[in-house]
Amino acid sequence: MKTKQAGKSGSAHKREPKRLLGLLLGLLIGFALGGVLVAGMPEDAGVGTQLMLMGGLLLTFYLSMVVQIILHEAGHLVFGLLSGYRFLSFRVFRLMWVKQEGRIRLKRLNLTGTAGQCLMAPPEPVDGRIPVVCYHLGGVLMNLIASVVFVVLYLVLPPLPVLSLFWALCAVSGVMTALVNGIPFSGGMVNNDGRNAWSIRKHPAAMRSFYVQLKVAEWTTAGVRMKDMPEDWFAVPGDEEMQDGMTAVLGVFACNRQLDAGHLEAAEQRIDHLLTIDSGIIELHRRLLICDQIYLALMLKQDPARAETLLDKPQQKFMKAMRQFPSVLRTEYTYQRLAKRDAAGAEQVRNRFERMAKCYPYEADLQSERERMDDADALCRKQSEPAESFAL
């Protein structure tokens, strides 16, 4: 089995398909917007008029993308319900509607690399299988259906300066959204829908992993902590199975469960192993595991130098983007307490955590991270106590 250093070269290789697809889509967007702009630009337009029209075009295109993101997640919801799934949550950017205690509540959650997410509780398996294709590709289907509808609106309705442009751009952005999510690729922060559907159909272990992921989401939404969930859900896949991105999530969850239970040594060993082997762990989970490594380096080894090494520029950039995520805040808090010895800085982080907690959707996560911060407080106090002296 080939290994790699913290997945640097491997993850860079996995990002290549996304970079290529992003370049192609960028060119497509540029040609589409350029064509619309040239077609609608008056011949005698001055520089000011041109800039204003260009700004309006970009704003309209952004709004069309927002519409298609909402439709994409609605597609997961509709086709998921048709497949026997049950609603858990619906997120667009940071706004999240989550069903808890029979009520739909508005919360906030930011996951870098994702514009939205629809989570649903899975139906019970039949012969070890659950329906996956419609749920995963429902968003793509909805984008394509919507694009056809917007083309019809553009062609049938009387031409209006702004509305006709909006219909046209909604059709273009719908096709783009379908391509980005439907063409299977891994890389970036998360794998896309097409990649996940392909993985589940190709790898038998991925089917079980997908089912467990949704059950964990269901129980977490209900307020159950990972350490209190069924142990057999968190059986760690073998190193070879970990090369599949969908299956690899179970390895990450096993680390999360050990940390939630306070088994720090076991969590450290498992995380170090997962970040050494060649695996399909997505970049979002990889960076969160490095956050845990920083925490464990300070808690177990009491090694600020190790924490500084892990806190390189890419990790700092990630943590800044995820600065409202519980485990990132816990790591930052511990770093201030144990590495920087900055009580005031740590208190500011703790206050940010509590402000975030007011709108965060998962109380179970908050309970776990508060315990981990309390452990850091206890270790800080212990380190500050004067050593006992003994008379000879």
Side-chain angles (χ1 to χ4, degrees):
M1 181 70 64
K2 295 174 70 175
T3 61
K4 59 188 178 180
Q5 285 295 329
K8 290 181 180 178
S9 61
S11 31
H13 175 73
K14 291 176 182 179
R15 283 195 293 268
E16 290 304 319
K18 183 171 184 178
R19 289 172 178 170
L20 179 59
L21 183 60
L23 176 61
L24 293 174
L25 288 175
L27 291 173
L28 180 59
I29 291 171
F31 281 125
L33 293 181
V36 172
L37 185 62
V38 170
M41 184 72 69
E43 294 183 2
D44 58 346
V47 175
T49 301
Q50 292 178 9
L51 291 175
M52 186 169 62
L53 289 174
M54 188 178 300
L57 176 64
L58 292 174
L59 176 60
T60 306
F61 180 73
Y62 174 79
L63 292 176
S64 74
M65 287 297 299
V66 172
V67 168
Q68 288 294 354
I69 289 170
I70 295 172
L71 289 172
H72 180 87
E73 300 307 328
H76 287 302
L77 176 61
V78 171
F79 286 96
L81 291 172
L82 292 175
S83 301
Y85 290 73
R86 290 169 285 112
F87 174 80
L88 290 177
S89 64
F90 187 96
R91 178 173 62 85
V92 177
F93 299 115
R94 296 186 180 186
L95 295 178
M96 182 176 185
W97 291 264
V98 57
K99 187 174 183 179
Q100 293 173 326
E101 299 176 344
R103 296 177 56 189
I104 303 296
R105 305 175 189 273
L106 179 60
K107 301 290 184 177
R108 295 187 66 181
L109 175 65
N110 177 42
L111 288 177
T112 186
T114 67
Q117 188 178 43
C118 178
L119 287 176
M120 306 187 77
E124 287 306 306
V126 177
D127 296 328
R129 302 186 64 83
I130 59 175
V132 296
V133 175
C134 283
Y135 176 56
H136 273 97
L137 299 183
V140 172
L141 291 172
M142 185 66 79
N143 290 136
L144 293 176
I145 293 169
S147 292
V148 173
V149 172
F150 285 122
V151 168
V152 171
L153 291 175
Y154 177 80
L155 295 174
V156 172
L157 295 181
L160 295 171
V162 177
L163 200 55
S164 296
L165 173 64
F166 182 67
W167 300 144
L169 291 179
C170 279
V172 172
S173 60
V175 173
M176 292 177 181
T177 305
L179 290 174
V180 167
N181 289 279
I183 299 175
F185 67 81
S186 58
M189 281 292 158
V190 297
N191 295 341
N192 72 347
D193 295 329
R195 176 70 182 190
N196 288 334
W198 176 85
S199 176
I200 293 172
R201 292 185 65 84
K202 182 178 180 181
H203 301 282
M207 175 71 73
R208 177 181 177 275
S209 176
F210 176 61
Y211 172 78
V212 170
Q213 289 175 53
L214 293 184
K215 292 301 291 185
V216 168
E218 179 184 4
W219 285 41
T220 302
T221 302
V224 181
R225 290 175 57 169
M226 271 191 170
K227 67 183 182 69
D228 299 320
M229 295 180 190
E231 186 174 357
D232 64 318
W233 286 359
F234 301 91
V236 182
D239 288 358
E240 187 172 348
E241 290 180 313
M242 284 289 296
Q243 293 184 31
D244 170 61
M246 180 63 70
T247 308
V249 178
L250 290 186
V252 176
F253 277 8
C255 298
N256 299 155
R257 188 172 191 264
Q258 292 281 19
L259 200 57
D260 183 33
H263 302 156
L264 303 191
E265 292 84 359
E268 182 186 45
Q269 293 175 9
R270 188 162 289 166
I271 293 170
D272 288 348
H273 176 71
L274 292 187
L275 293 182
T276 302
I277 64 173
D278 187 8
S279 75
I281 296 174
I282 61 174
E283 190 67 10
L284 175 64
H285 287 164
R286 184 177 297 277
R287 289 294 168 185
L288 289 173
L289 287 177
I290 295 174
C291 283
D292 295 338
Q293 278 189 315
I294 295 169
Y295 174 81
L296 293 168
L298 295 170
M299 292 294 297
L300 294 177
K301 302 289 196 307
Q302 300 176 36
D303 187 356
R306 166 70 170 159
E308 291 282 358
T309 301
L310 292 167
L311 199 58
D312 57 15
K313 287 185 177 179
Q315 185 65 17
Q316 291 180 40
K317 181 180 179 181
F318 170 80
M319 293 176 68
K320 183 177 181 180
M322 292 281 286
R323 59 187 175 274
Q324 295 300 315
F325 197 73
S327 65
V328 173
L329 285 165
R330 171 257 293 163
T331 299
E332 187 178 348
Y333 178 83
T334 304
Y335 181 77
Q336 293 291 334
R337 284 288 271 166
L338 299 179
K340 292 298 187 181
R341 297 291 173 174
D342 185 352
E347 185 64 23
Q348 290 179 1
V349 177
R350 189 71 179 242
N351 290 338
R352 280 168 45 206
F353 181 95
E354 295 304 332
R355 288 196 298 271
M356 172 276 300
K358 294 178 181 178
C359 295
Y360 186 76
Y362 305 122
E363 180 61 32
D365 291 349
L366 299 175
Q367 293 174 8
S368 179
E369 301 304 350
R370 287 190 180 104
E371 287 182 9
R372 301 288 74 78
M373 288 189 287
D374 290 343
D375 290 344
D377 290 339
L379 180 58
C380 185
R381 288 192 297 269
K382 182 178 180 181
Q383 292 175 343
S384 301
E385 292 175 357
E388 295 184 10
S389 60
F390 296 91
L392 296 178

